[in-house]
């Protein structure tokens, strides 16, 4: 194992400073190639007022980050559209109106103590109509994370909500992210019968969403740390510069490591995560590398392949792949 003891004379970032940094707070978003492509597809679908589009992918490949990015981009791309984003929660023992309850909680709509299912549907549709009126628009965009958690009943409720809004001249677009279980969800609906309209409305288009798929993808991410990031705000100091100012001043950058780093990451991956490295573990590996740089900063720093293998191992990527993706691919 490579020691993290600092060489004499290095300017170290102390633990409090490191903990406050955007990288360690995880308070930043890197627009990966996959996120950029999915965002472009999603925004086009929303602009064209498609009714349903689902991105599916394995756990931790960046789906939640992507849906947040889409939500953020919508503010500038379609500022008048009324947008709600929720993560579907599966409540054990709950059989009716789960999605309406979650919409109500997100929007601050208070149901009466003995509100009927039809009453709840009326209240939510009225709320959406009013919000669209406030924004002078006729387009409601519902962003759903973990779509596969929706039950058949929830989908029927959303279908009824769609029809009610449509009669009032309001278009409803549901853009979702889901785990691969969404395919079984669709098959179960097909087998149940009388669900053709649900599938056609919400589940006809499923697009695969992946994590980091190549050394070129990784190069884009590392270059963001080198050139397109900033902390503290308005300081002009990029992430790489902030963690290793001495090395950065003499030309050190993360981006040239992309080939060796990708080899370490992909070699530690398995099954469905081969050439599909989960972003959570990739960014954890980068945080370990930045901590090493901070604690060993010098004008002559060298990053050996052994260190890259070490930070990937520290991210727990091999164990995660064995438990979650080893049988896929």
């Amino acid at each position: 194992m490579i020691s993290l003891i600092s060489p004499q004379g290095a300017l170290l970032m102390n633990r409090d400073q490191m903990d406050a940094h955007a990288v360690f707070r995880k308070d930043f978003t890197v627009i990966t190639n996959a996120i950029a492509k999915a965002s472009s597809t999603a925004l086009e679908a929303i602009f064209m007022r498609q009714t349903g589009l689902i991105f599916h992918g394995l756990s931790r490949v960046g789906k939640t980050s992507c849906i947040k990015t889409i939500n953020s981009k919508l503010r500038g791309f379609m500022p008048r559209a009324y947008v709600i984003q929720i993560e579907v929660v599966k409540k054990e023992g709950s059989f009716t109106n789960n999605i309406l309850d979650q919409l109500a909680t997100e929007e601050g709509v208070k149901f009466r103590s003995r509100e009927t299912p039809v009453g709840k549907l009326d209240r939510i549709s009225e709320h959406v109509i009013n919000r669209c009126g406030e924004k002078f628009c006729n387009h409601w965009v519902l962003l759903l994370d973990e779509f596969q958690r929706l039950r058949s009943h929830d989908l029927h409720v959303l279908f009824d909500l769609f029809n009610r809004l449509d009669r009032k001249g309001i278009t409803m677009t549901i853009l979702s992210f889901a785990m691969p279980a969404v395919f079984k969800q669709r098959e179960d609906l097909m087998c149940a019968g009388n669900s053709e309209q649900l599938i056609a409305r919400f589940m006809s288009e499923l697009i695969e969403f992946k994590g980091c798929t190549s050394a070129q993808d990784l190069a884009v991410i590392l270059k963001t740390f080198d050139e397109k990031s900033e902390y503290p705000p308005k300081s002009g100091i990029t992430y790489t510069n902030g963690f290793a100012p001495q090395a950065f001043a003499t030309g050190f950058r993360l981006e040239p490591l992309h080939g060796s780093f990708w080899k370490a990451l992909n070699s530690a991956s398995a099954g469905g995560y081969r050439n599909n490295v989960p972003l959570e573990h990739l960014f954890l590996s980068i945080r370990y590398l930045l901590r090493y740089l901070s604690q060993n900063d010098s004008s002559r720093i060298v990053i050996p392949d052994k260190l890259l293998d070490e930070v990937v191992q520290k991210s727990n990527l091999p164990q995660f792949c064995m438990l979650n993706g080893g049988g896929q691919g």
Side-chain angles (χ1 to χ4, degrees):
M1 303 290 283
I2 296 175
S3 172
L4 296 180
I5 297 175
S6 168
Q8 278 195 336
L11 298 175
L12 302 182
M13 183 183 293
N14 64 42
R15 183 172 299 216
D16 287 342
Q17 291 171 323
M18 195 175 296
D19 185 60
H21 197 285
V23 168
F24 280 83
R25 293 202 325 265
K26 300 170 72 173
D27 187 21
F28 72 104
T29 300
V30 174
I31 306 301
T32 65
N33 285 338
I35 289 177
K37 183 178 179 180
S39 297
S40 177
T41 300
L43 292 175
E44 180 69 12
I46 292 169
F47 182 77
M48 298 305 293
R49 301 194 176 218
Q50 291 182 219
T51 56
L53 178 66
I54 300 175
F55 293 94
H56 65 90
L58 296 175
S59 177
R60 299 188 181 181
V61 295
K63 298 188 299 295
T64 299
S65 293
C66 189
I67 202 169
K68 289 178 180 178
T69 299
I70 292 167
N71 195 348
S72 177
K73 285 181 176 292
L74 274 171
R75 296 171 196 166
F77 184 72
M78 296 181 66
R80 290 173 56 193
Y82 175 47
V83 183
I84 299 177
Q85 178 186 334
I86 64 172
E87 178 181 338
V88 178
V89 177
K90 184 177 181 180
K91 296 181 180 179
E92 297 299 329
S94 176
F95 296 101
T96 59
N97 296 315
N98 189 15
I99 190 62
L100 289 180
D101 289 339
Q102 289 179 62
L103 285 169
T105 298
E106 180 66 25
E107 291 295 288
V109 176
K110 303 295 184 183
F111 291 144
R112 301 181 183 90
S113 59
R114 294 187 178 182
E115 191 88 69
T116 65
V118 173
K120 289 183 176 182
L121 189 62
D122 288 340
R123 296 283 293 280
I124 292 297
S125 61
E126 181 180 354
H127 175 81
V128 172
I129 291 167
N130 289 338
R131 289 292 181 268
C132 286
E134 291 170 2
K135 293 177 71 68
F136 301 100
C137 72
N138 68 340
H139 192 187
W140 178 37
V141 180
L142 178 57
L143 304 177
L144 293 180
D145 200 3
E146 304 293 351
F147 180 94
Q148 79 284 346
R149 292 176 180 170
L150 290 173
R151 301 154 306 155
S152 173
H153 176 83
D154 296 318
L155 291 171
H156 280 283
V157 168
L158 288 174
F159 186 80
D160 290 340
L161 186 55
F162 176 95
N163 287 335
R164 288 189 178 218
L165 294 173
D166 186 60
R167 288 194 293 270
K168 297 293 184 178
I170 294 175
T171 300
M172 175 180 173
T173 295
I174 299 183
L175 191 139
S176 311
F177 282 76
M179 295 284 286
V182 70
F183 286 97
K184 185 178 186 306
Q185 180 186 28
R186 189 168 66 173
E187 289 173 4
D188 289 344
L189 281 171
M190 290 178 178
C191 293
N194 299 319
S195 298
E196 294 84 358
Q197 288 182 312
L198 295 180
I199 294 169
R201 184 76 70 194
F202 304 127
M203 305 177 72
S204 62
E205 188 170 5
L206 275 66
I207 301 174
E208 186 173 16
F209 182 87
K210 290 193 171 186
C212 184
T213 63
S214 67
Q216 289 70 36
D217 280 356
L218 181 57
V220 170
I221 293 170
L222 296 178
K223 192 170 184 178
T224 298
F225 281 74
D226 292 336
E227 300 179 3
K228 301 178 181 179
S229 54
E230 184 181 60
Y231 187 85
K234 299 182 180 180
S235 67
I237 300 173
T238 67
Y239 293 167
T240 308
N241 189 4
F243 283 97
Q246 294 186 59
F248 194 87
T250 54
F252 173 82
R253 300 293 186 272
L254 291 176
E255 192 273 336
L257 301 174
H258 70 271
S260 299
F261 207 167
W262 172 252
K263 182 178 179 182
L265 287 161
N266 205 36
S267 295
S269 302
Y273 289 103
R274 289 283 294 176
N275 298 312
N276 184 24
V277 175
L279 294 188
E280 184 167 330
H281 295 271
L282 186 156
F283 285 117
L284 181 53
S285 300
I286 293 175
R287 288 199 294 278
Y288 273 117
L289 178 57
L290 290 173
R291 188 173 75 172
Y292 173 86
L293 289 171
S294 175
Q295 295 176 325
N296 294 270
D297 186 23
S298 77
S299 59
R300 299 182 178 180
I301 197 163
V302 175
I303 305 298
D305 290 351
K306 180 180 178 182
L307 176 60
L308 298 176
D309 289 330
E310 180 183 332
V311 297
V312 170
Q313 292 296 319
K314 283 177 176 286
S315 78
N316 204 39
L317 176 59
Q319 294 84 349
F320 172 77
C321 290
M322 287 178 63
L323 291 172
N324 295 276
Q328 302 181 49

